[in-house]
Amino acid sequence: MDEREHRHDRTRVEELLELATGIAEEAGQMLLAKRPARPEVLATKSSPTDVVTALDRAAEELIRGRIAEVRPHDAILGEEGGDTPGEGGVRWVVDPIDGTVNFLYGLPDWAVSIGVEVDGEIVAGAVHNVPRGELFTASKGGGAWLRGERLRCNTGVPLAKALVATGFGYAAGRRRVQAEVLAQVVPQVRDIRRGGSCAVDLCSVAAGRVDAYYERGANYWDHAAAGLIAVEAGARIGGLNGRPVSPDMALCAAPGLFEELHDLLVPLDPERD
């Protein structure tokens, strides 16, 4: 690739990021304005505790509409609306509310997450932690940012001093296993944090607010944007035994700590249900 092509690609990525950022901001403000004291649960997904709200769907409709206005031929993968095919190699990966239970209860960690793929690779991402008024952004090769400051994950932290974020599934059987795994992890680390949003947890790794994160059951739209933010802040993200991040396992930390946490988790067989 010559210098002119490289500049063209960078310009394209920055334009995609700017659009993702603006839409994530608008969707977040809509959700904040319209959220009632206790939003009604519209439906359940995988289990009675896995909820969808009317505003979940309204936010995704807003996001899809804004993308279609500017880029009508792009594909969109949304948590609520599924996969809409497109043309040209660009696909938007949307989670309108990551942390729906936090949203329902009025807890401060839920986010609008928008990632952008080009030819199957995430190249831009925006995560708007709405209650905290924080907009995390990243572009491939362009760094991870919050409020104009470049983010760097914590490095040089040994496992025994690591603050580790995690999450739990909705099905009772999976939570039982996750609790068994957690009981073996807790004595080996500084402490555990359970925030309730994969996207926010990954941004917390990027910002150095926690040292590491692991979770079984995170979907692509949960980590598409935030995973890029973490990587651009210097973290490593993946699954177990060299596999990519997937619903089986998501693990994120600075490279050295990633290996230590990985080696602690593998013998515990955390991917069983």
Side-chain angles (χ1 to χ4, degrees), residues 157-244:
V157 180
L159 184 66
K161 293 187 177 179
L163 186 61
V164 179
T166 193
F168 306 106
Y170 293 106
R174 175 166 292 184
R175 289 201 304 270
R176 186 177 299 111
V177 171
Q178 288 173 322
E180 292 170 3
V181 171
L182 185 65
Q184 300 300 310
V185 172
V186 170
Q188 307 298 323
V189 301
R190 179 190 294 274
D191 205 351
I192 294 290
R193 292 294 180 267
R194 196 284 196 257
S197 163
C198 168
V200 173
D201 283 344
L202 287 168
C203 289
S204 294
V205 173
R209 295 172 180 175
V210 297
D211 300 304
Y213 161 79
Y214 79 92
E215 184 172 359
R216 172 158 166 74
N219 291 301
Y220 185 44
W221 45 76
D222 298 324
H223 62 75
L228 177 66
I229 292 165
V231 168
E232 286 293 324
R236 177 179 169 188
I237 188 168
L240 298 183
N241 299 311
R243 296 193 298 271

Side-chain angles (χ1 to χ4, degrees), residues 72 75 92 96 104 111 118 126 134 148 156 170 175 194 214 221 226 233 263 266:
W92 300 74
L104 282 167
V118 174
E134 294 184 333
Y170 293 106
R175 289 201 304 270
R194 196 284 196 257
Y214 79 92
W221 45 76
D263 292 348
V266 167

